[in-house]
PDB file of all heavy atoms in Angstrom:
ATOM      1  N   GLY A 233      96.673 110.033 188.932  1.00  0.00           N
ATOM      2  CA  GLY A 233      97.093 108.712 188.448  1.00  0.00           C
ATOM      3  C   GLY A 233      97.750 108.782 187.085  1.00  0.00           C
ATOM      4  O   GLY A 233      98.775 108.140 186.849  1.00  0.00           O
ATOM      5  N   ILE A 234      97.153 109.562 186.188  1.00  0.00           N
ATOM      6  CA  ILE A 234      97.735 109.734 184.849  1.00  0.00           C
ATOM      7  C   ILE A 234      99.114 110.376 184.959  1.00  0.00           C
ATOM      8  O   ILE A 234     100.073 109.971 184.296  1.00  0.00           O
ATOM      9  CB  ILE A 234      96.794 110.566 183.948  1.00  0.00           C
ATOM     10  CG1 ILE A 234      95.525 109.759 183.640  1.00  0.00           C
ATOM     11  CG2 ILE A 234      97.489 110.978 182.655  1.00  0.00           C
ATOM     12  CD1 ILE A 234      94.419 110.568 182.980  1.00  0.00           C
ATOM     13  N   GLY A 235      99.227 111.382 185.827  1.00  0.00           N
ATOM     14  CA  GLY A 235     100.517 112.043 186.045  1.00  0.00           C
ATOM     15  C   GLY A 235     101.554 111.089 186.596  1.00  0.00           C
ATOM     16  O   GLY A 235     102.720 111.121 186.191  1.00  0.00           O
ATOM     17  N   ALA A 236     101.155 110.231 187.530  1.00  0.00           N
ATOM     18  CA  ALA A 236     102.084 109.273 188.127  1.00  0.00           C
ATOM     19  C   ALA A 236     102.582 108.277 187.078  1.00  0.00           C
ATOM     20  O   ALA A 236     103.772 107.973 187.015  1.00  0.00           O
ATOM     21  CB  ALA A 236     101.416 108.546 189.287  1.00  0.00           C
ATOM     22  N   VAL A 237     101.662 107.766 186.260  1.00  0.00           N
ATOM     23  CA  VAL A 237     102.053 106.822 185.199  1.00  0.00           C
ATOM     24  C   VAL A 237     103.002 107.509 184.216  1.00  0.00           C
ATOM     25  O   VAL A 237     104.031 106.946 183.826  1.00  0.00           O
ATOM     26  CB  VAL A 237     100.801 106.255 184.475  1.00  0.00           C
ATOM     27  CG1 VAL A 237     101.194 105.497 183.218  1.00  0.00           C
ATOM     28  CG2 VAL A 237     100.018 105.364 185.415  1.00  0.00           C
ATOM     29  N   GLY A 238     102.668 108.736 183.844  1.00  0.00           N
ATOM     30  CA  GLY A 238     103.544 109.491 182.941  1.00  0.00           C
ATOM     31  C   GLY A 238     104.908 109.720 183.534  1.00  0.00           C
ATOM     32  O   GLY A 238     105.929 109.626 182.843  1.00  0.00           O
ATOM     33  N   GLY A 239     104.956 110.001 184.832  1.00  0.00           N
ATOM     34  CA  GLY A 239     106.238 110.205 185.510  1.00  0.00           C
ATOM     35  C   GLY A 239     107.086 108.950 185.525  1.00  0.00           C
ATOM     36  O   GLY A 239     108.302 109.003 185.332  1.00  0.00           O
ATOM     37  N   VAL A 240     106.451 107.808 185.762  1.00  0.00           N
ATOM     38  CA  VAL A 240     107.179 106.532 185.761  1.00  0.00           C
ATOM     39  C   VAL A 240     107.742 106.244 184.374  1.00  0.00           C
ATOM     40  O   VAL A 240     108.910 105.871 184.225  1.00  0.00           O
ATOM     41  CB  VAL A 240     106.268 105.377 186.243  1.00  0.00           C
ATOM     42  CG1 VAL A 240     106.906 104.024 185.986  1.00  0.00           C
ATOM     43  CG2 VAL A 240     105.940 105.543 187.719  1.00  0.00           C
ATOM     44  N   ILE A 241     106.928 106.448 183.348  1.00  0.00           N
ATOM     45  CA  ILE A 241     107.392 106.206 181.979  1.00  0.00           C
ATOM     46  C   ILE A 241     108.544 107.139 181.638  1.00  0.00           C
ATOM     47  O   ILE A 241     109.565 106.715 181.083  1.00  0.00           O
ATOM     48  CB  ILE A 241     106.226 106.356 180.969  1.00  0.00           C
ATOM     49  CG1 ILE A 241     105.218 105.214 181.167  1.00  0.00           C
ATOM     50  CG2 ILE A 241     106.746 106.380 179.535  1.00  0.00           C
ATOM     51  CD1 ILE A 241     103.920 105.389 180.407  1.00  0.00           C
ATOM     52  N   ALA A 242     108.411 108.421 181.967  1.00  0.00           N
ATOM     53  CA  ALA A 242     109.488 109.381 181.707  1.00  0.00           C
ATOM     54  C   ALA A 242     110.751 108.978 182.462  1.00  0.00           C
ATOM     55  O   ALA A 242     111.869 109.116 181.941  1.00  0.00           O
ATOM     56  CB  ALA A 242     109.053 110.791 182.093  1.00  0.00           C
ATOM     57  N   GLY A 243     110.594 108.475 183.669  1.00  0.00           N
ATOM     58  CA  GLY A 243     111.747 108.021 184.446  1.00  0.00           C
ATOM     59  C   GLY A 243     112.499 106.893 183.767  1.00  0.00           C
ATOM     60  O   GLY A 243     113.732 106.844 183.798  1.00  0.00           O
ATOM     61  N   PHE A 244     111.767 105.987 183.136  1.00  0.00           N
ATOM     62  CA  PHE A 244     112.407 104.900 182.398  1.00  0.00           C
ATOM     63  C   PHE A 244     113.276 105.429 181.260  1.00  0.00           C
ATOM     64  O   PHE A 244     114.260 104.819 180.879  1.00  0.00           O
ATOM     65  CB  PHE A 244     111.376 103.925 181.822  1.00  0.00           C
ATOM     66  CG  PHE A 244     110.765 103.002 182.832  1.00  0.00           C
ATOM     67  CD1 PHE A 244     109.412 102.702 182.784  1.00  0.00           C
ATOM     68  CD2 PHE A 244     111.518 102.415 183.830  1.00  0.00           C
ATOM     69  CE1 PHE A 244     108.834 101.847 183.700  1.00  0.00           C
ATOM     70  CE2 PHE A 244     110.955 101.559 184.767  1.00  0.00           C
ATOM     71  CZ  PHE A 244     109.600 101.276 184.699  1.00  0.00           C
ATOM     72  N   PHE A 245     112.888 106.569 180.704  1.00  0.00           N
ATOM     73  CA  PHE A 245     113.615 107.158 179.579  1.00  0.00           C
ATOM     74  C   PHE A 245     114.641 108.191 180.024  1.00  0.00           C
ATOM     75  O   PHE A 245     115.127 108.979 179.228  1.00  0.00           O
ATOM     76  CB  PHE A 245     112.639 107.794 178.581  1.00  0.00           C
ATOM     77  CG  PHE A 245     111.900 106.785 177.765  1.00  0.00           C
ATOM     78  CD1 PHE A 245     110.644 106.352 178.139  1.00  0.00           C
ATOM     79  CD2 PHE A 245     112.464 106.247 176.619  1.00  0.00           C
ATOM     80  CE1 PHE A 245     109.961 105.407 177.392  1.00  0.00           C
ATOM     81  CE2 PHE A 245     111.796 105.306 175.873  1.00  0.00           C
ATOM     82  CZ  PHE A 245     110.538 104.877 176.256  1.00  0.00           C
ATOM     83  N   GLY A 246     114.963 108.207 181.308  1.00  0.00           N
ATOM     84  CA  GLY A 246     115.994 109.103 181.797  1.00  0.00           C
ATOM     85  C   GLY A 246     115.489 110.480 182.181  1.00  0.00           C
ATOM     86  O   GLY A 246     116.270 111.404 182.374  1.00  0.00           O
ATOM     87  N   GLY A 247     114.203 110.635 182.287  1.00  0.00           N
ATOM     88  CA  GLY A 247     113.635 111.915 182.693  1.00  0.00           C
ATOM     89  C   GLY A 247     113.017 112.662 181.533  1.00  0.00           C
ATOM     90  O   GLY A 247     113.332 112.429 180.370  1.00  0.00           O
ATOM     91  N   TRP A 248     112.118 113.553 181.888  1.00  0.00           N
ATOM     92  CA  TRP A 248     111.388 114.348 180.898  1.00  0.00           C
ATOM     93  C   TRP A 248     112.179 115.627 180.681  1.00  0.00           C
ATOM     94  O   TRP A 248     111.866 116.662 181.226  1.00  0.00           O
ATOM     95  CB  TRP A 248     109.988 114.607 181.439  1.00  0.00           C
ATOM     96  CG  TRP A 248     109.019 115.138 180.455  1.00  0.00           C
ATOM     97  CD1 TRP A 248     108.458 116.380 180.473  1.00  0.00           C
ATOM     98  CD2 TRP A 248     108.489 114.483 179.308  1.00  0.00           C
ATOM     99  NE1 TRP A 248     107.608 116.517 179.407  1.00  0.00           N
ATOM    100  CE2 TRP A 248     107.609 115.370 178.679  1.00  0.00           C
ATOM    101  CE3 TRP A 248     108.681 113.224 178.745  1.00  0.00           C
ATOM    102  CZ2 TRP A 248     106.915 115.048 177.526  1.00  0.00           C
ATOM    103  CZ3 TRP A 248     107.984 112.906 177.598  1.00  0.00           C
ATOM    104  CH2 TRP A 248     107.122 113.806 176.993  1.00  0.00           C
ATOM    105  N   ASP A 249     113.240 115.544 179.881  1.00  0.00           N
ATOM    106  CA  ASP A 249     114.111 116.690 179.666  1.00  0.00           C
ATOM    107  C   ASP A 249     113.958 117.229 178.252  1.00  0.00           C
ATOM    108  O   ASP A 249     113.185 116.706 177.447  1.00  0.00           O
ATOM    109  CB  ASP A 249     115.566 116.320 179.952  1.00  0.00           C
ATOM    110  CG  ASP A 249     116.106 115.230 179.042  1.00  0.00           C
ATOM    111  OD1 ASP A 249     115.332 114.668 178.241  1.00  0.00           O
ATOM    112  OD2 ASP A 249     117.302 114.927 179.136  1.00  0.00           O
ATOM    113  N   ALA A 250     114.692 118.285 177.959  1.00  0.00           N
ATOM    114  CA  ALA A 250     114.592 118.937 176.649  1.00  0.00           C
ATOM    115  C   ALA A 250     114.939 117.983 175.506  1.00  0.00           C
ATOM    116  O   ALA A 250     114.324 118.040 174.438  1.00  0.00           O
ATOM    117  CB  ALA A 250     115.495 120.171 176.607  1.00  0.00           C
ATOM    118  N   ALA A 251     115.906 117.111 175.718  1.00  0.00           N
ATOM    119  CA  ALA A 251     116.315 116.186 174.659  1.00  0.00           C
ATOM    120  C   ALA A 251     115.186 115.225 174.297  1.00  0.00           C
ATOM    121  O   ALA A 251     114.883 115.020 173.111  1.00  0.00           O
ATOM    122  CB  ALA A 251     117.558 115.414 175.080  1.00  0.00           C
ATOM    123  N   LEU A 252     114.546 114.635 175.291  1.00  0.00           N
ATOM    124  CA  LEU A 252     113.461 113.691 175.026  1.00  0.00           C
ATOM    125  C   LEU A 252     112.262 114.400 174.413  1.00  0.00           C
ATOM    126  O   LEU A 252     111.647 113.892 173.467  1.00  0.00           O
ATOM    127  CB  LEU A 252     113.060 112.956 176.308  1.00  0.00           C
ATOM    128  CG  LEU A 252     112.023 111.856 176.149  1.00  0.00           C
ATOM    129  CD1 LEU A 252     112.523 110.766 175.202  1.00  0.00           C
ATOM    130  CD2 LEU A 252     111.681 111.248 177.507  1.00  0.00           C
ATOM    131  N   ILE A 253     111.935 115.574 174.935  1.00  0.00           N
ATOM    132  CA  ILE A 253     110.823 116.346 174.373  1.00  0.00           C
ATOM    133  C   ILE A 253     111.102 116.679 172.913  1.00  0.00           C
ATOM    134  O   ILE A 253     110.223 116.536 172.052  1.00  0.00           O
ATOM    135  CB  ILE A 253     110.584 117.631 175.197  1.00  0.00           C
ATOM    136  CG1 ILE A 253     110.061 117.283 176.589  1.00  0.00           C
ATOM    137  CG2 ILE A 253     109.607 118.567 174.485  1.00  0.00           C
ATOM    138  CD1 ILE A 253     110.067 118.442 177.567  1.00  0.00           C
ATOM    139  N   THR A 254     112.336 117.100 172.625  1.00  0.00           N
ATOM    140  CA  THR A 254     112.708 117.439 171.246  1.00  0.00           C
ATOM    141  C   THR A 254     112.585 116.229 170.338  1.00  0.00           C
ATOM    142  O   THR A 254     112.032 116.324 169.237  1.00  0.00           O
ATOM    143  CB  THR A 254     114.139 118.004 171.199  1.00  0.00           C
ATOM    144  OG1 THR A 254     114.200 119.164 172.038  1.00  0.00           O
ATOM    145  CG2 THR A 254     114.546 118.362 169.783  1.00  0.00           C
ATOM    146  N   LEU A 255     113.081 115.086 170.791  1.00  0.00           N
ATOM    147  CA  LEU A 255     112.973 113.874 169.977  1.00  0.00           C
ATOM    148  C   LEU A 255     111.512 113.536 169.693  1.00  0.00           C
ATOM    149  O   LEU A 255     111.147 113.244 168.544  1.00  0.00           O
ATOM    150  CB  LEU A 255     113.664 112.693 170.656  1.00  0.00           C
ATOM    151  CG  LEU A 255     113.569 111.356 169.924  1.00  0.00           C
ATOM    152  CD1 LEU A 255     114.189 111.442 168.531  1.00  0.00           C
ATOM    153  CD2 LEU A 255     114.206 110.247 170.738  1.00  0.00           C
ATOM    154  N   LEU A 256     110.665 113.595 170.704  1.00  0.00           N
ATOM    155  CA  LEU A 256     109.249 113.267 170.499  1.00  0.00           C
ATOM    156  C   LEU A 256     108.574 114.253 169.556  1.00  0.00           C
ATOM    157  O   LEU A 256     107.770 113.859 168.702  1.00  0.00           O
ATOM    158  CB  LEU A 256     108.524 113.211 171.842  1.00  0.00           C
ATOM    159  CG  LEU A 256     108.933 112.046 172.752  1.00  0.00           C
ATOM    160  CD1 LEU A 256     108.277 112.197 174.121  1.00  0.00           C
ATOM    161  CD2 LEU A 256     108.602 110.702 172.129  1.00  0.00           C
ATOM    162  N   ILE A 257     108.911 115.535 169.685  1.00  0.00           N
ATOM    163  CA  ILE A 257     108.355 116.531 168.768  1.00  0.00           C
ATOM    164  C   ILE A 257     108.823 116.259 167.344  1.00  0.00           C
ATOM    165  O   ILE A 257     108.023 116.265 166.402  1.00  0.00           O
ATOM    166  CB  ILE A 257     108.725 117.963 169.217  1.00  0.00           C
ATOM    167  CG1 ILE A 257     107.953 118.325 170.483  1.00  0.00           C
ATOM    168  CG2 ILE A 257     108.455 118.982 168.109  1.00  0.00           C
ATOM    169  CD1 ILE A 257     108.412 119.618 171.146  1.00  0.00           C
ATOM    170  N   PHE A 258     110.123 116.001 167.171  1.00  0.00           N
ATOM    171  CA  PHE A 258     110.653 115.715 165.835  1.00  0.00           C
ATOM    172  C   PHE A 258     109.995 114.477 165.247  1.00  0.00           C
ATOM    173  O   PHE A 258     109.684 114.433 164.053  1.00  0.00           O
ATOM    174  CB  PHE A 258     112.171 115.529 165.880  1.00  0.00           C
ATOM    175  CG  PHE A 258     112.965 116.803 165.972  1.00  0.00           C
ATOM    176  CD1 PHE A 258     112.369 118.028 166.226  1.00  0.00           C
ATOM    177  CD2 PHE A 258     114.332 116.772 165.814  1.00  0.00           C
ATOM    178  CE1 PHE A 258     113.107 119.187 166.318  1.00  0.00           C
ATOM    179  CE2 PHE A 258     115.083 117.930 165.884  1.00  0.00           C
ATOM    180  CZ  PHE A 258     114.479 119.144 166.146  1.00  0.00           C
ATOM    181  N   MET A 259     109.775 113.449 166.074  1.00  0.00           N
ATOM    182  CA  MET A 259     109.126 112.230 165.589  1.00  0.00           C
ATOM    183  C   MET A 259     107.703 112.532 165.122  1.00  0.00           C
ATOM    184  O   MET A 259     107.275 112.040 164.076  1.00  0.00           O
ATOM    185  CB  MET A 259     109.118 111.157 166.676  1.00  0.00           C
ATOM    186  CG  MET A 259     110.481 110.608 167.005  1.00  0.00           C
ATOM    187  SD  MET A 259     110.466 109.545 168.454  1.00  0.00           S
ATOM    188  CE  MET A 259     110.190 107.971 167.677  1.00  0.00           C
TER     189      MET A 259
END
């Protein structure tokens, strides 16, 4: 369930890709 919710949220942001991960790490 946690994975599914995380997947939906990541989908809203265009996918869990290197760019989004980098932005979150930098933040």
Side-chain angles (χ1 to χ4, degrees):
I234 292 169
V237 169
V240 169
I241 292 170
F244 285 140
F245 286 95
W248 193 247
D249 62 354
L252 185 60
I253 292 168
T254 301
L255 178 60
L256 292 173
I257 289 170
F258 282 10
M259 291 171 91

